[in-house]
Amino acid sequence: MYRLRIHHRQLWPFVAAGALCAAAAGCQQKMADQPSYKPLVESTFFEDGKSARDLPAGTVARGHLRVNNALYTGRTTDLADIDEQAEAVAEKSGGHSEKTPGGFDENAAFVTDFPIPVTESVIEHGRNRYMIYCVVCHDALGTGRGKIVERGYTAPPSYHIDRLRNGAVGRLFAVVSEGYGAMPSYGSQIPPEDRWAIIAYVRALQLSQHFPAEKLTDEMREQLRKAPELPTASEVLGPKEQVR
Ligand code: HEC
């Protein structure tokens, strides 16, 4: 039979390691047990009774510095500045400011160019996000007849109306970021880059229904010639009245 023989000289590294562990645990214990305040508890140490000190004015949480207005708001001016301007206008015009549904500010200068490069993969990502966040109300083609609208929610306008086709991309971005009338804001749910990707896809949807014939390349014409005859949006969806 095999007998395990361990000489005491072989054992001492384990004893040393054990002692080290115990010492380390001791230290760890002391650090974990040090007196400290739990968040938001009272304190008698400070005069104001708060345990935490107020943040110095202008403190920005790490990763939250947003200096690029175009990217984060779709507007060229700071929203705070815009509010001041609107107030000044309102004062002059006897209290009427130009705010539209839900306080959406139409006075603000909207950016007309995308602040991110619009590539095929960005549009594809936008389509993916659109199908998650927007399709339920705006439908896959953007005509404003999504499932929720079928069940009685306020019907949004079609993306294909002239006003929305000709409007600035920054305005579309601001609608999604801030909310607009009956439409809730998606600013806190969708990161800004994804919101821009969605707007790029909305633009692609708009173009899909109003592509200028003179811009069709020979290749595109050939593709169209080969494509099966597709029904138009209104043939598929029927008039709006029937849907509701
Ligand atoms: C819960 C339903 C709902 C969802 C989801 C929704 N919308 Fe809307 N949207 C609306 C309604 C309702 C309106 C019309 C608001 C009004 O005029 O009061 C609207 C209006 C709009 C408009 C036009 C604003 C104008 O100037 O008339 C745009 C652009 C728009 N939505 C984009 C989006 C995008 C992009 C998404 C996805 C990120 C989205 N919406 C998600 C309901 C929704």
Side-chain angles (χ1 to χ4, degrees):
M1 200 175 87
Y2 178 77
R3 277 175 66 208
L4 187 66
R5 279 165 169 246
I6 300 173
H7 194 267
H8 72 272
R9 255 183 300 177
Q10 285 171 299
L11 265 180
W12 80 259
F14 295 100
V15 175
L20 260 177
C21 279
C27 294
Q28 203 273 335
Q29 212 49 39
K30 270 187 200 142
M31 268 174 79
D33 282 349
Q34 67 182 315
S36 60
Y37 285 115
K38 291 215 163 66
L40 302 179
V41 294
E42 255 180 84
S43 161
T44 49
F45 185 78
F46 296 107
E47 261 179 19
D48 62 3
K50 300 178 193 173
S51 57
R53 301 297 75 219
D54 288 337
L55 296 174
T59 303
V60 178
R62 180 179 272 216
H64 287 257
L65 184 61
R66 301 194 149 181
V67 281
N68 186 342
N69 266 324
L71 181 66
Y72 294 110
T73 67
R75 303 175 189 267
T76 51
T77 347
D78 198 330
L79 269 182
D81 295 347
I82 293 161
D83 277 349
E84 269 173 31
Q85 285 168 20
E87 271 170 35
V89 173
E91 254 173 46
K92 273 192 203 152
S93 62
H96 298 294
S97 82
E98 288 286 306
K99 289 204 171 179
T100 31
F104 186 82
D105 203 326
E106 297 284 3
N107 283 327
F110 297 107
V111 297
T112 49
D113 290 324
F114 282 87
I116 56 164
V118 177
T119 60
E120 198 175 334
S121 68
V122 164
I123 297 177
E124 185 51 41
H125 181 61
R127 189 186 70 83
N128 171 284
R129 300 289 103 176
Y130 179 88
M131 291 304 183
I132 293 169
Y133 292 107
C134 322
V135 75
V136 287
C137 293
H138 286 271
D139 78 49
L141 195 59
T143 64
R145 302 173 207 201
K147 275 287 160 216
I148 295 188
V149 176
E150 274 182 31
R151 300 288 184 274
Y153 200 89
T154 310
S158 164
Y159 292 149
H160 310 296
I161 60 173
D162 289 348
R163 180 175 66 83
L164 293 179
R165 282 194 310 118
N166 301 331
V169 285
R171 187 178 174 283
L172 300 180
F173 181 87
V175 164
V176 177
S177 311
E178 298 165 30
Y180 182 85
M183 177 174 148
S185 135
Y186 286 85
S188 58
Q189 290 178 45
I190 313 177
E193 287 81 1
D194 285 8
R195 270 178 264 150
W196 280 113
I198 291 174
I199 301 307
Y201 182 64
V202 169
R203 273 289 190 249
L205 278 179
Q206 291 175 325
L207 201 57
S208 77
Q209 302 302 298
H210 284 90
F211 197 83
E214 68 275 11
K215 284 198 179 166
L216 285 170
T217 61
D218 288 345
E219 196 188 336
M220 287 159 100
R221 282 177 200 277
E222 184 62 15
Q223 272 179 3
L224 272 177
R225 207 179 50 74
K226 281 192 202 146
E229 197 59 35
L230 291 174
T232 63
S234 53
E235 272 166 14
V236 175
L237 297 160
K240 214 164 185 174
E241 290 69 32
Q242 276 180 22
V243 181
R244 297 191 83 196

